[in-house]
Each structure stands twice: as structure tokens, then as C-alpha cells.
Amino acid sequence: METQTKKDIGKNAKLYDLHDGQQRLATLCLLLAALRDYFHRAGVVEEARIAQNMIYPPMRRREDVARVELNGTKDNLFRSILSNKMDSVNTLSPTERKALPIDQQLLLNAYDYFTYRLDELKDHGRVIEFFDNLKDDVFLLVGITSDTKMARNIVMGQGKGKNMEPVDELKGIVCFNSIDDETEQDNLLQEWNQLCNDQSRDRISNACLLLAQLKLPQRRLRKHGEIDFFEDYMTLYCRGGLDGRHFYEKELKPTVSLLERLEGDSFSFSEDAGQVKVLPSATFLYAATKIQTAKDVALPLVFLIGEYTKASELEVRKLMINYLAELEKLALWMMLAKPKPKDRRQRCLEAIKYVQDQSAQGSNPFMLQNEEIDVIKQRLRTGEYGKGAPSRVGKAVLERLNEFELANKNQAELTPFHKTLQLEHVLPQKWQNVKYWSERWNDDDANTWLNRLGNLALLNQKVNAKVSNGSFDLKRKEYMSPYPLTQLITGYSDWSPKEVEGNHSRIIDLAIKVWKL
């Protein structure tokens, strides 16, 4: 139950959004409906009337309005139960009931359970006694706050809502707080709900918060402060005469679509890229946004790709591609050097400002200093990327290098295999437990090379599980994969420290070439 639908509810009636206690109120309404229907069947007219009045206030209106309503398609079923218009529901077969959305199944199951338990009592007097206790001894304490911010703070102060996705709150801000016309509110609400069905809820939330951060660069988005942050953004957004509908159409939908393409590896750049010989990789840049030390790259990434897609002039598109190529190198530095959160965020914001202000003076924040490039080289050569959080960096780097090699050979992209892509240790992580490897490696060499890039390869999940701790001869047969760098390992006849070092050097040299280090 998110935000009640606004309609004609009476001249002096007030409508409130519910921030906590949704399930309790909805369940109480279902219990009252079950009691009312029980009394109707039993011929206890007065008690049935009282139960009905507790659901629908006995006031003169153009239409009956329940005290509690739900949003979305589930409200149709909820309203049918509360109004005792169950004919269409009662005719459903068990199979058809199972085909209903899960939220509607839960509503029906709760109502059916209450009905069953009341019938099970087989004593009108006991049911009336229960109803009297419910009326006389059960109270609801309702807190009506001055604004939505205070309501959220109270809920959060109780330790609730910390794991709740903010997308529903964001929807309320856009569809209701930012639009005056009630019909338009309902229309946009339905469109937003449909967007939630078509897209992931996380993607919509991410799009809203990225847009807010781009417009409020001086403010830091704090954990559990997403809603207040976005609400302040929408207040600023609407000051220029714009509203929630404009935001939804012109800002949110294009950004959600962009994130969908990035997540689905379906975004690529034109070959006409100006002076950039190596086209930027949207796949690598998006992977960087999922790594903690580089996540702020999402801001300039969304900004630059947005400018790229909107640009009609070829020169502007070329310029954006150049910036994206430099952003890729900046993202690599953040992944490896792990700058302080404040510093990396400031660097990303300065990069956006540099693009926006073409007459800006001073250094280009996209460009890496010599010492920063040295850090990248050093971390690539000596860093361990085969386990834990660093493995995400290793996977992203190897995937980017394989993508470059495929592009050079005009071969297919990695997209069909990306979702099942895993890091394979050629020398297994549990090498000491395998006779073949323990006879060829010692502790010192294994500690040096086990988790470095030279001992890592990309394989799909099924093949990785198959080769596991097998011998190098067995692994070579399975390394004829779509990934060029994995295929190259088949050219070795053995896998000793010497071969690993040679493969490692080849990977580092390729990285230097791709990122112009």
C-alpha cells in the first residue's frame, strides 16, 4: 500500500499517505470484511451493518470510498473484497487463482483464512463476543506528521525502512508532490507502475539518484538519505515551471533506457571516433561503477553518454567519445589506486564541469598525471586480482583486454557469454591438494603468481567448473574459448612460473597499449 488514489471523498475529508503499518491496516480491513460477511450469512443484520460502517464510513458521497485503499491493480481485488462483490473471484478455479499475481493471492488467502476460522467457531455468540472485543478494546494510534520528511524520519528512527528500496517513495514525490492535477497524478502513477514492471526497481532508483546528484553536485548523497536528497532535487527541478510529468518523460525514461543498455552490454560507439584509435568500452565503464573504489564514475559516465546520444553534430559526438576514452583510463586508476571517496567524487564532478564549461581554464581532470600512470602500471604488475573484492577488478580488466583483441580481429563481442563469465585460475587455488600441481610448484612461486593477472583467464561458468583443479593438459583442451587471451594459453606446453611470467608480461603490455599508459 503506497499512496492512496485521490478521488471525491467528501468536502471536509482528508487523505493521508501511509508510511508505516500498511500490512496491519490492510489485514484489519480483510478481517472486518470476513466478519461482515459472516454476520450476513448468519442473519445478524445489526452486527453486519456495524462492520460495514467500519470499512466504509456512513457518509453521503457520490461513491463509496473505503477507509483504506491500495494502489495498482491489486486494489481492484481489495475493493471487491471490502465491498462484498466477490462473484468474479468466487468463480475462479484453483488453477486460475494460482495464476494471479502473488500480491493478489496473498489478499485472497488472508480473507479465506479469516472466513474459515470464523466458520470453524460454529457459534454466533462467540463470534459476536470477538467482534465486540475488537470494537471496544482494540485501538489504533495514528501519528499525522507535518510533512513526509518527518514521517520518514520517525519510521527510520524505529529501525524500519533501512533495507527498503526507495523507488516507491521516489514515485510518490514525482507523481503526487510534483503534480497538481489529480487526473494527471493517477495517469502518471499508472505509467510509473508499468515502468517498474518493464524495468528493474533498482534501475529506476539508480536513474533518479544519478540525475539528482548531477544537479546537486555540492551535496553528498548519504546512506539512508536518498529520499530527502531526491525530494530536494525535485523541489529545485520544479521551480522553473516544470513538473513531475516533464521529469518522467524528459529525464527519467531516457536515463533508465540508458542504464538498461549499459547493463545489457548493448551500448557501443560509432567507428567515426575522431582521434581515438581505441574506442571506449561502455562495458568496462559500467563494470567500474559496480566497484566500490570507482563507483563515482557513474556520474560522468551517464552525463557523457547522455550528451553523446543527444548530440546531432558529428563533432560533438566525437568530442564525447574522446572524453569517454579518457574517463575509462581515469576509472582504471580509481579501481587500482583506491583514492579517498571525497577525492574521487571531486575528480568526477570536476570532469563534468570541465565538459560543461568549454572555456574552463586549468588542468583537464580527465587526464592522468605521470605519477598516477605509474601507479596503474605498478598495480597491474604486482597486484593480486584472483580472489575476494579485487577479483571484480581482475575480471573487468581481462574482459576489456579480450574485448579489444576481438575488435582488432573483427570478431564477435563477448555479450552472449558475459552473464556467465568467471575468472579461472590456471594454477588452481587448491594446487597443494592436487598431485600434478604440487609436484611442479612450490609455496614461494605459488604465493607470487597464483592471483596475478598472468595466472587468470576468462571462462564461462560451465567450463570453469569442468576444468576446476585438473592438470594443465586437461585445461588446455578446454581453453579454446571465445576469449582471445584464454586461447593464447593453449600455445604453452607447460604451466610453470616461467610460463606464467611470460603470459603476465603479455597481458601488461596489452593493457599499456589499450589504455595508452
Side-chain angles (χ1 to χ4, degrees):
M1 187 159 48
E2 295 147 2
T3 307
Q4 292 180 320
T5 305
K6 294 190 176 181
K7 57 174 72 175
D8 180 9
I9 61 173
K11 181 178 179 182
N12 297 315
K14 291 187 177 181
L15 187 67
Y16 295 100
D17 297 337
L18 192 61
H19 282 256
D20 189 29
Q22 298 97 324
Q23 185 173 350
R24 276 167 286 181
L25 278 181
T27 303
L28 179 60
C29 289
L30 293 173
L31 175 58
L32 290 171
L35 282 163
R36 176 204 59 202
D37 297 342
Y38 173 88
F39 292 136
H40 275 306
R41 293 192 301 273
V44 186
V45 178
E46 180 61 16
E47 301 300 325
R49 183 189 65 80
I50 294 173
Q52 175 70 3
N53 288 345
M54 294 177 73
I55 301 171
Y56 285 90
M59 297 175 65
R60 182 175 296 177
R61 296 187 182 84
R62 280 179 258 174
E63 60 175 304
D64 287 336
V65 178
R67 295 181 189 272
V68 176
E69 294 185 356
L70 307 182
N71 262 334
T73 56
K74 58 181 175 292
D75 185 51
N76 296 329
L77 176 62
F78 189 65
R79 192 182 301 122
S80 296
I81 296 174
L82 298 191
S83 61
N84 197 21
K85 297 176 181 179
M86 296 281 288
D87 293 343
S88 61
V89 177
N90 291 332
T91 58
L92 292 175
S93 68
T95 302
E96 290 172 326
R97 285 181 63 136
K98 288 183 179 179
L100 291 174
I102 187 63
D103 53 2
Q104 296 189 23
Q105 291 186 48
L106 292 172
L107 289 174
L108 274 178
N109 291 342
Y111 173 77
D112 288 346
Y113 175 76
F114 290 139
T115 300
Y116 166 77
R117 291 304 303 271
L118 291 172
D119 288 340
E120 192 178 41
L121 291 176
K122 298 179 181 179
D123 184 340
H124 300 340
R126 293 181 65 188
V127 177
I128 292 174
E129 182 182 1
F130 167 74
F131 184 50
D132 287 340
N133 289 334
L134 183 65
K135 289 186 300 169
D136 300 335
D137 300 329
V138 176
F139 299 90
L140 292 178
L141 178 62
V142 180
I144 302 175
T145 61
S146 59
D147 54 46
T148 55
K149 284 187 178 182
M150 184 176 293
R152 285 194 295 269
N153 290 338
I154 292 174
V155 174
M156 296 290 286
Q158 294 174 333
K160 300 178 181 180
K162 292 184 179 179
N163 298 319
M164 184 178 65
E165 297 177 40
V167 65
D168 293 325
E169 295 275 16
L170 303 179
K171 174 172 63 177
I173 293 170
V174 175
C175 299
F176 293 97
N177 297 11
S178 305
I179 293 179
D180 294 327
D181 182 80
E182 294 184 3
T183 301
E184 180 63 14
Q185 290 176 354
D186 291 339
N187 291 338
L188 186 56
L189 176 67
Q190 295 303 317
E191 292 182 39
W192 186 297
N193 288 337
Q194 185 59 49
L195 188 66
C196 282
N197 292 334
D198 297 338
Q199 303 282 349
S200 75
R201 295 163 66 85
D202 280 344
R203 189 178 298 141
I204 295 173
S205 295
N206 290 340
C208 287
L209 296 176
L210 281 170
L211 289 166
Q213 289 179 85
L214 287 171
K215 294 300 182 182
L216 300 173
Q218 303 307 318
R219 285 188 51 183
R220 180 183 174 189
L221 177 59
R222 299 183 181 277
K223 190 175 183 180
H224 309 317
E226 298 93 344
I227 308 304
D228 290 345
F229 189 93
F230 183 73
E231 190 167 36
D232 290 344
Y233 159 68
M234 284 303 299
T235 299
L236 180 64
Y237 185 87
C238 294
R239 282 179 184 169
L242 305 178
D243 62 5
R245 166 61 72 179
H246 188 277
F247 168 78
Y248 179 81
E249 296 290 348
K250 301 299 183 181
E251 305 291 346
L252 180 61
K253 286 175 65 177
T255 305
V256 169
S257 177
L258 171 60
L259 292 179
E260 180 185 27
R261 293 176 65 190
L262 287 172
E263 292 175 30
D265 300 328
S266 61
F267 196 99
S268 58
F269 301 98
S270 168
E271 291 293 338
D272 191 2
Q275 299 177 351
V276 179
K277 295 181 179 179
V278 180
L279 287 172
S281 168
T283 301
F284 177 81
L285 283 166
Y286 182 73
T289 68
K290 299 303 179 182
I291 294 171
Q292 183 66 25
T293 60
K295 65 179 184 179
D296 292 294
V297 167
L299 294 174
L301 173 61
V302 169
F303 171 75
L304 290 172
I305 293 185
E307 294 296 306
Y308 172 82
T309 54
K310 288 187 295 186
S312 57
E313 298 179 7
L314 181 60
E315 290 305 314
V316 175
R317 293 170 69 87
K318 288 180 179 180
L319 182 61
M320 293 304 115
I321 289 177
N322 277 272
Y323 284 135
L324 283 161
E326 294 298 333
L327 180 63
E328 187 178 331
K329 192 187 302 185
L330 180 62
L332 177 66
W333 172 74
M334 290 184 178
M335 292 161 68
L336 300 176
K338 302 178 182 179
K340 295 179 180 179
K342 181 179 178 181
D343 294 339
R344 70 178 184 235
R345 175 177 171 79
Q346 186 62 31
R347 184 81 170 260
C348 289
L349 293 175
E350 288 174 355
I352 295 173
K353 186 176 180 181
Y354 183 85
V355 177
Q356 291 173 327
D357 187 0
Q358 296 296 326
S359 62
Q361 302 295 318
S363 61
N364 180 351
F366 287 98
M367 301 295 292
L368 295 181
Q369 303 299 314
N370 290 335
E371 55 269 25
E372 293 172 335
I373 294 176
D374 290 340
V375 169
I376 293 178
K377 292 179 181 178
Q378 188 268 334
R379 298 286 169 86
L380 286 174
R381 290 193 179 101
T382 62
E384 296 189 347
Y385 304 103
K387 63 179 180 179
S391 66
R392 302 183 70 175
V393 177
K395 182 173 176 287
V397 168
L398 287 178
E399 187 174 352
R400 175 64 179 109
L401 299 181
N402 275 278
E403 181 184 351
F404 173 82
E405 289 290 86
L406 284 172
N408 262 2
K409 299 174 182 178
N410 294 318
Q411 295 183 12
E413 297 179 354
L414 298 180
T415 302
F417 310 96
H418 177 73
K419 299 303 180 184
T420 60
L421 208 57
Q422 289 188 343
L423 277 182
E424 148 77 353
H425 289 72
V426 185
L427 170 67
Q429 296 183 75
K430 298 181 179 179
W431 63 274
Q432 294 167 313
N433 300 335
V434 182
K435 183 179 179 181
Y436 174 88
W437 293 105
S438 62
E439 290 178 347
R440 291 166 170 77
W441 282 77
N442 59 51
D443 288 341
D444 289 341
D445 289 334
N447 288 338
T448 299
W449 294 108
L450 180 62
N451 290 300
R452 290 194 187 181
L453 292 172
N455 187 54
L456 304 176
L458 294 180
L459 282 180
N460 68 56
Q461 187 176 5
K462 186 179 293 186
V463 176
N464 193 19
K466 180 179 179 180
V467 298
S468 187
N469 296 326
S471 68
F472 184 64
D473 290 336
L474 171 64
K475 294 192 174 199
R476 285 177 63 199
K477 296 176 183 177
E478 301 295 336
Y479 282 179
M480 292 304 295
S481 75
Y483 316 115
L485 297 185
T486 305
Q487 290 181 24
L488 289 174
I489 296 175
T490 63
Y492 293 104
S493 58
D494 192 17
W495 197 250
S496 68
K498 179 181 178 181
E499 282 75 24
V500 180
E501 185 175 6
N503 189 56
H504 187 71
S505 296
R506 177 165 56 190
I507 290 173
I508 301 305
D509 290 343
L510 181 60
I512 291 173
K513 177 181 179 181
V514 170
W515 285 299
K516 297 181 180 178
L517 302 174

